[in-house]
Tab-separated table of all heavy atoms in Angstrom:
chain	number	residue	atom	x	y	z
Q	69	GLU	N	0.837	-1.215	0.001
Q	69	GLU	CA	0.003	-0.006	-0.001
Q	69	GLU	C	0.868	1.251	-0.007
Q	69	GLU	O	0.580	2.230	-0.692
Q	69	GLU	CB	-0.958	0.019	1.212
Q	69	GLU	CG	-2.068	-1.032	1.163
Q	69	GLU	CD	-1.589	-2.431	1.558
Q	69	GLU	OE1	-0.598	-2.556	2.321
Q	69	GLU	OE2	-2.203	-3.396	1.077
Q	70	GLU	N	1.939	1.249	0.794
Q	70	GLU	CA	2.857	2.396	0.838
Q	70	GLU	C	3.583	2.568	-0.497
Q	70	GLU	O	3.777	3.686	-0.953
Q	70	GLU	CB	3.878	2.222	1.965
Q	70	GLU	CG	3.279	2.325	3.354
Q	70	GLU	CD	4.268	1.948	4.447
Q	70	GLU	OE1	5.133	1.076	4.215
Q	70	GLU	OE2	4.185	2.553	5.529
Q	71	ILE	N	3.932	1.458	-1.121
Q	71	ILE	CA	4.596	1.519	-2.430
Q	71	ILE	C	3.665	2.139	-3.453
Q	71	ILE	O	4.049	3.021	-4.212
Q	71	ILE	CB	5.060	0.106	-2.881
Q	71	ILE	CG1	6.169	-0.392	-1.958
Q	71	ILE	CG2	5.502	0.124	-4.336
Q	71	ILE	CD1	6.556	-1.842	-2.175
Q	72	LYS	N	2.420	1.677	-3.483
Q	72	LYS	CA	1.435	2.216	-4.434
Q	72	LYS	C	1.176	3.699	-4.191
Q	72	LYS	O	1.021	4.458	-5.129
Q	72	LYS	CB	0.123	1.422	-4.351
Q	72	LYS	CG	0.216	0.041	-4.956
Q	72	LYS	CD	-1.108	-0.684	-4.857
Q	72	LYS	CE	-0.989	-2.090	-5.445
Q	72	LYS	NZ	-2.256	-2.834	-5.323
Q	73	ALA	N	1.155	4.096	-2.928
Q	73	ALA	CA	0.882	5.492	-2.586
Q	73	ALA	C	2.023	6.408	-3.042
Q	73	ALA	O	1.791	7.562	-3.389
Q	73	ALA	CB	0.671	5.630	-1.084
Q	74	LYS	N	3.248	5.907	-3.069
Q	74	LYS	CA	4.397	6.735	-3.447
Q	74	LYS	C	4.897	6.502	-4.861
Q	74	LYS	O	5.936	7.008	-5.254
Q	74	LYS	CB	5.539	6.496	-2.441
Q	74	LYS	CG	5.185	6.962	-1.060
Q	74	LYS	CD	6.378	6.989	-0.161
Q	74	LYS	CE	6.014	7.572	1.186
Q	74	LYS	NZ	7.160	7.977	1.929
Q	75	LYS	N	4.108	5.762	-5.645
Q	75	LYS	CA	4.505	5.427	-7.015
Q	75	LYS	C	4.738	6.679	-7.865
Q	75	LYS	O	5.761	6.827	-8.528
Q	75	LYS	CB	3.453	4.530	-7.653
Q	75	LYS	CG	3.768	4.102	-9.062
Q	75	LYS	CD	2.665	3.204	-9.605
Q	75	LYS	CE	2.976	2.813	-11.040
Q	75	LYS	NZ	1.933	1.939	-11.586
Q	76	LYS	N	3.783	7.618	-7.819
Q	76	LYS	CA	3.895	8.839	-8.617
Q	76	LYS	C	5.099	9.681	-8.168
Q	76	LYS	O	5.800	10.250	-9.004
Q	76	LYS	CB	2.619	9.666	-8.538
Q	76	LYS	CG	1.473	9.088	-9.330
Q	76	LYS	CD	0.262	9.969	-9.285
Q	76	LYS	CE	-0.899	9.333	-10.037
Q	76	LYS	NZ	-2.102	10.150	-9.970
Q	77	GLU	N	5.312	9.760	-6.879
Q	77	GLU	CA	6.458	10.513	-6.357
Q	77	GLU	C	7.769	9.906	-6.849
Q	77	GLU	O	8.687	10.621	-7.277
Q	77	GLU	CB	6.417	10.520	-4.829
Q	77	GLU	CG	7.554	11.270	-4.195
Q	77	GLU	CD	7.555	11.178	-2.668
Q	77	GLU	OE1	6.554	10.739	-2.088
Q	77	GLU	OE2	8.591	11.536	-2.085
Q	78	PHE	N	7.864	8.587	-6.808
Q	78	PHE	CA	9.072	7.889	-7.290
Q	78	PHE	C	9.303	8.153	-8.770
Q	78	PHE	O	10.402	8.510	-9.200
Q	78	PHE	CB	8.932	6.380	-7.026
Q	78	PHE	CG	10.068	5.583	-7.585
Q	78	PHE	CD1	11.278	5.513	-6.894
Q	78	PHE	CD2	9.960	4.920	-8.794
Q	78	PHE	CE1	12.335	4.766	-7.415
Q	78	PHE	CE2	11.003	4.191	-9.314
Q	78	PHE	CZ	12.202	4.110	-8.624
Q	79	LEU	N	8.264	8.011	-9.591
Q	79	LEU	CA	8.387	8.218	-11.022
Q	79	LEU	C	8.736	9.670	-11.349
Q	79	LEU	O	9.497	9.935	-12.288
Q	79	LEU	CB	7.100	7.794	-11.749
Q	79	LEU	CG	6.826	6.283	-11.723
Q	79	LEU	CD1	5.472	5.987	-12.361
Q	79	LEU	CD2	7.927	5.509	-12.409
Q	80	ALA	N	8.201	10.591	-10.583
Q	80	ALA	CA	8.520	12.010	-10.801
Q	80	ALA	C	9.991	12.290	-10.523
Q	80	ALA	O	10.638	13.072	-11.224
Q	80	ALA	CB	7.633	12.890	-9.934
Q	81	LYS	N	10.543	11.653	-9.503
Q	81	LYS	CA	11.933	11.873	-9.155
Q	81	LYS	C	12.891	11.225	-10.160
Q	81	LYS	O	14.023	11.671	-10.318
Q	81	LYS	CB	12.224	11.343	-7.746
Q	81	LYS	CG	11.623	12.196	-6.656
Q	81	LYS	CD	11.966	11.660	-5.295
Q	81	LYS	CE	11.373	12.540	-4.207
Q	81	LYS	NZ	11.703	12.078	-2.854
Q	82	THR	N	12.444	10.159	-10.789
Q	82	THR	CA	13.316	9.451	-11.729
Q	82	THR	C	13.110	9.871	-13.182
Q	82	THR	O	13.836	9.439	-14.058
Q	82	THR	CB	13.106	7.928	-11.638
Q	82	THR	OG1	11.757	7.623	-11.955
Q	82	THR	CG2	13.473	7.400	-10.270
Q	83	ALA	N	12.110	10.729	-13.419
Q	83	ALA	CA	11.834	11.165	-14.785
Q	83	ALA	C	12.983	12.014	-15.314
Q	83	ALA	O	13.576	12.814	-14.590
Q	83	ALA	CB	10.534	11.945	-14.842
Q	84	LYS	N	13.296	11.843	-16.584
Q	84	LYS	CA	14.368	12.608	-17.206
Q	84	LYS	C	13.836	14.007	-17.504
Q	84	LYS	O	12.800	14.164	-18.133
Q	84	LYS	CB	14.792	11.913	-18.498
Q	84	LYS	CG	16.019	12.494	-19.128
Q	84	LYS	CD	16.473	11.654	-20.302
Q	84	LYS	CE	17.760	12.191	-20.851
Q	84	LYS	NZ	18.246	11.377	-21.971
Q	85	VAL	N	14.568	14.997	-17.061
Q	85	VAL	CA	14.176	16.380	-17.262
Q	85	VAL	C	14.848	16.918	-18.512
Q	85	VAL	O	16.078	16.865	-18.629
Q	85	VAL	CB	14.545	17.240	-16.028
Q	85	VAL	CG1	14.166	18.685	-16.232
Q	85	VAL	CG2	13.886	16.685	-14.778
Q	86	LYS	N	14.048	17.400	-19.445
Q	86	LYS	CA	14.619	17.989	-20.662
Q	86	LYS	C	14.885	19.460	-20.409
Q	86	LYS	O	14.008	20.213	-19.996
Q	86	LYS	CB	13.640	17.836	-21.831
Q	86	LYS	CG	13.466	16.425	-22.283
Q	86	LYS	CD	12.608	16.350	-23.523
Q	86	LYS	CE	12.467	14.927	-24.008
Q	86	LYS	NZ	11.669	14.849	-25.230
Q	87	LYS	N	16.123	19.835	-20.657
Q	87	LYS	CA	16.484	21.235	-20.484
Q	87	LYS	C	16.190	21.981	-21.770
Q	87	LYS	O	16.490	21.507	-22.865
Q	87	LYS	CB	17.976	21.357	-20.152
Q	87	LYS	CG	18.348	20.778	-18.821
Q	87	LYS	CD	19.820	20.944	-18.534
Q	87	LYS	CE	20.192	20.342	-17.196
Q	87	LYS	NZ	21.611	20.418	-16.925
Q	88	GLN	N	15.614	23.141	-21.631
Q	88	GLN	CA	15.340	23.982	-22.776
Q	88	GLN	C	16.570	24.810	-23.079
Q	88	GLN	O	17.001	25.600	-22.256
Q	88	GLN	CB	14.149	24.907	-22.501
Q	88	GLN	CG	12.832	24.184	-22.323
Q	88	GLN	CD	12.343	23.531	-23.587
Q	88	GLN	OE1	12.660	23.979	-24.679
Q	88	GLN	NE2	11.588	22.458	-23.448
Q	89	LYS	N	17.151	24.604	-24.244
Q	89	LYS	CA	18.296	25.401	-24.629
Q	89	LYS	C	18.026	25.988	-25.997
Q	89	LYS	O	17.357	25.372	-26.834
Q	89	LYS	CB	19.583	24.584	-24.617
Q	89	LYS	CG	19.560	23.297	-25.389
Q	89	LYS	CD	20.870	22.555	-25.183
Q	89	LYS	CE	20.760	21.161	-25.802
Q	89	LYS	NZ	21.976	20.403	-25.609
Q	90	PRO	N	18.509	27.184	-26.245
Q	90	PRO	CA	18.232	27.816	-27.528
Q	90	PRO	C	18.880	27.020	-28.651
Q	90	PRO	O	19.993	26.518	-28.508
Q	90	PRO	CB	18.870	29.207	-27.404
Q	90	PRO	CG	19.874	29.056	-26.331
Q	90	PRO	CD	19.369	27.995	-25.395
Q	91	ASN	N	18.166	26.918	-29.742
Q	91	ASN	CA	18.691	26.172	-30.870
Q	91	ASN	C	19.590	27.089	-31.683
Q	91	ASN	O	19.129	27.973	-32.383
Q	91	ASN	CB	17.535	25.644	-31.728
Q	91	ASN	CG	18.002	24.669	-32.777
Q	91	ASN	OD1	19.184	24.598	-33.084
Q	91	ASN	ND2	17.065	23.927	-33.331
Q	92	ARG	N	20.886	26.866	-31.556
Q	92	ARG	CA	21.854	27.715	-32.253
Q	92	ARG	C	21.688	27.593	-33.756
Q	92	ARG	O	21.939	28.516	-34.495
Q	92	ARG	CB	23.263	27.315	-31.863
Q	92	ARG	CG	23.621	27.639	-30.445
Q	92	ARG	CD	25.055	27.285	-30.176
Q	92	ARG	NE	25.333	27.401	-28.762
Q	92	ARG	CZ	26.408	26.947	-28.201
Q	92	ARG	NH1	27.328	26.329	-28.919
Q	92	ARG	NH2	26.610	27.078	-26.912
Q	93	ASN	N	21.281	26.400	-34.194
Q	93	ASN	CA	21.128	26.172	-35.615
Q	93	ASN	C	20.096	27.113	-36.208
Q	93	ASN	O	20.284	27.648	-37.294
Q	93	ASN	CB	20.761	24.702	-35.876
Q	93	ASN	CG	20.996	24.299	-37.299
Q	93	ASN	OD1	21.833	24.849	-37.982
Q	93	ASN	ND2	20.231	23.335	-37.767
Q	94	GLN	N	18.988	27.346	-35.499
Q	94	GLN	CA	17.951	28.256	-35.988
Q	94	GLN	C	18.510	29.686	-36.074
Q	94	GLN	O	18.201	30.416	-37.008
Q	94	GLN	CB	16.732	28.217	-35.077
Q	94	GLN	CG	15.922	26.962	-35.220
Q	94	GLN	CD	14.737	26.928	-34.267
Q	94	GLN	OE1	14.700	27.667	-33.280
Q	94	GLN	NE2	13.778	26.056	-34.544
Q	95	GLN	N	19.301	30.068	-35.095
Q	95	GLN	CA	19.896	31.402	-35.103
Q	95	GLN	C	20.871	31.543	-36.272
Q	95	GLN	O	20.911	32.577	-36.932
Q	95	GLN	CB	20.611	31.684	-33.790
Q	95	GLN	CG	19.678	31.783	-32.608
Q	95	GLN	CD	20.400	31.871	-31.280
Q	95	GLN	OE1	21.558	31.488	-31.180
Q	95	GLN	NE2	19.722	32.397	-30.280
Q	96	LEU	N	21.662	30.480	-36.533
Q	96	LEU	CA	22.591	30.510	-37.641
Q	96	LEU	C	21.851	30.611	-38.975
Q	96	LEU	O	22.226	31.401	-39.838
Q	96	LEU	CB	23.472	29.248	-37.621
Q	96	LEU	CG	24.432	29.087	-38.782
Q	96	LEU	CD1	25.446	30.224	-38.803
Q	96	LEU	CD2	25.138	27.745	-38.712
Q	97	ILE	N	20.788	29.834	-39.137
Q	97	ILE	CA	20.013	29.868	-40.375
Q	97	ILE	C	19.391	31.253	-40.573
Q	97	ILE	O	19.386	31.780	-41.693
Q	97	ILE	CB	18.947	28.750	-40.379
Q	97	ILE	CG1	19.646	27.390	-40.501
Q	97	ILE	CG2	17.934	28.935	-41.506
Q	97	ILE	CD1	18.732	26.195	-40.268
Q	98	ALA	N	18.887	31.841	-39.512
Q	98	ALA	CA	18.310	33.175	-39.620
Q	98	ALA	C	19.362	34.206	-40.050
Q	98	ALA	O	19.123	35.062	-40.888
Q	98	ALA	CB	17.685	33.591	-38.283
Q	99	PHE	N	20.575	34.061	-39.488
Q	99	PHE	CA	21.670	34.968	-39.863
Q	99	PHE	C	22.042	34.764	-41.324
Q	99	PHE	O	22.175	35.740	-42.070
Q	99	PHE	CB	22.893	34.711	-38.966
Q	99	PHE	CG	24.147	35.343	-39.481
Q	99	PHE	CD1	24.330	36.724	-39.411
Q	99	PHE	CD2	25.138	34.578	-40.073
Q	99	PHE	CE1	25.472	37.309	-39.912
Q	99	PHE	CE2	26.298	35.156	-40.555
Q	99	PHE	CZ	26.460	36.534	-40.481
Q	100	LEU	N	22.204	33.507	-41.752
Q	100	LEU	CA	22.582	33.247	-43.133
Q	100	LEU	C	21.485	33.709	-44.100
Q	100	LEU	O	21.786	34.198	-45.195
Q	100	LEU	CB	22.890	31.770	-43.344
Q	100	LEU	CG	24.160	31.259	-42.648
Q	100	LEU	CD1	24.274	29.755	-42.780
Q	100	LEU	CD2	25.397	31.943	-43.203
Q	101	ASN	N	20.230	33.589	-43.707
Q	101	ASN	CA	19.139	34.092	-44.541
Q	101	ASN	C	19.224	35.607	-44.691
Q	101	ASN	O	18.873	36.155	-45.747
Q	101	ASN	CB	17.762	33.702	-43.961
Q	101	ASN	CG	17.320	32.337	-44.435
Q	101	ASN	OD1	17.522	31.969	-45.582
Q	101	ASN	ND2	16.707	31.586	-43.542
Q	102	ALA	N	19.672	36.281	-43.629
Q	102	ALA	CA	19.777	37.737	-43.680
Q	102	ALA	C	20.855	38.193	-44.659
Q	102	ALA	O	20.752	39.267	-45.256
Q	102	ALA	CB	20.059	38.289	-42.281
Q	103	ILE	N	21.898	37.363	-44.824
Q	103	ILE	CA	22.973	37.752	-45.757
Q	103	ILE	C	22.966	36.915	-47.042
Q	103	ILE	O	23.947	36.891	-47.774
Q	103	ILE	CB	24.366	37.661	-45.065
Q	103	ILE	CG1	24.688	36.234	-44.640
Q	103	ILE	CG2	24.463	38.638	-43.902
Q	103	ILE	CD1	26.136	36.044	-44.247
Q	104	LYS	N	21.826	36.271	-47.308
Q	104	LYS	CA	21.712	35.410	-48.487
Q	104	LYS	C	22.032	36.143	-49.780
Q	104	LYS	O	22.763	35.609	-50.628
Q	104	LYS	CB	20.328	34.771	-48.569
Q	104	LYS	CG	20.262	33.676	-49.620
Q	104	LYS	CD	18.898	33.084	-49.924
Q	104	LYS	CE	17.993	32.828	-48.804
Q	104	LYS	NZ	16.754	32.136	-49.198
Q	105	PRO	N	21.573	37.390	-49.982
Q	105	PRO	CA	21.919	38.082	-51.236
Q	105	PRO	C	23.441	38.266	-51.406
Q	105	PRO	O	23.956	38.110	-52.515
Q	105	PRO	CB	21.217	39.431	-51.108
Q	105	PRO	CG	20.123	39.217	-50.119
Q	105	PRO	CD	20.618	38.169	-49.187
Q	106	GLU	N	24.126	38.560	-50.304
Q	106	GLU	CA	25.575	38.718	-50.360
Q	106	GLU	C	26.260	37.386	-50.689
Q	106	GLU	O	27.236	37.349	-51.420
Q	106	GLU	CB	26.114	39.294	-49.049
Q	106	GLU	CG	25.764	40.746	-48.802
Q	106	GLU	CD	24.360	40.945	-48.242
Q	106	GLU	OE1	23.633	39.968	-48.008
Q	106	GLU	OE2	23.993	42.116	-48.040
Q	107	ILE	N	25.714	36.302	-50.131
Q	107	ILE	CA	26.264	34.977	-50.400
Q	107	ILE	C	26.119	34.660	-51.888
Q	107	ILE	O	27.072	34.221	-52.544
Q	107	ILE	CB	25.586	33.902	-49.526
Q	107	ILE	CG1	25.951	34.099	-48.049
Q	107	ILE	CG2	25.974	32.490	-49.995
Q	107	ILE	CD1	25.185	33.226	-47.080
Q	108	LYS	N	24.910	34.893	-52.419
Q	108	LYS	CA	24.666	34.603	-53.848
Q	108	LYS	C	25.579	35.455	-54.720
Q	108	LYS	O	26.124	34.968	-55.721
Q	108	LYS	CB	23.204	34.883	-54.192
Q	108	LYS	CG	22.247	33.832	-53.677
Q	108	LYS	CD	20.831	34.136	-54.120
Q	108	LYS	CE	19.870	33.048	-53.699
Q	108	LYS	NZ	18.491	33.322	-54.139
Q	109	GLN	N	25.759	36.727	-54.359
Q	109	GLN	CA	26.627	37.623	-55.137
Q	109	GLN	C	28.075	37.131	-55.103
Q	109	GLN	O	28.747	37.115	-56.133
Q	109	GLN	CB	26.539	39.043	-54.584
Q	109	GLN	CG	27.354	40.061	-55.335
Q	109	GLN	CD	26.811	40.301	-56.745
Q	109	GLN	OE1	25.614	40.349	-56.950
Q	109	GLN	NE2	27.712	40.433	-57.709
Q	110	SER	N	28.525	36.705	-53.940
Q	110	SER	CA	29.904	36.206	-53.814
Q	110	SER	C	30.110	34.965	-54.658
Q	110	SER	O	31.136	34.810	-55.306
Q	110	SER	CB	30.203	35.877	-52.349
Q	110	SER	OG	30.096	37.031	-51.547
């Protein structure tokens, strides 16, 4: 009974936490899109 009562607490403590980090790739693509005319000209 005690195990069943603490099941959710146990699973919450062992769950993998995903960290939110900025996607550098999106920032790079946005930057390259901003200079796309210069890239094409080059």
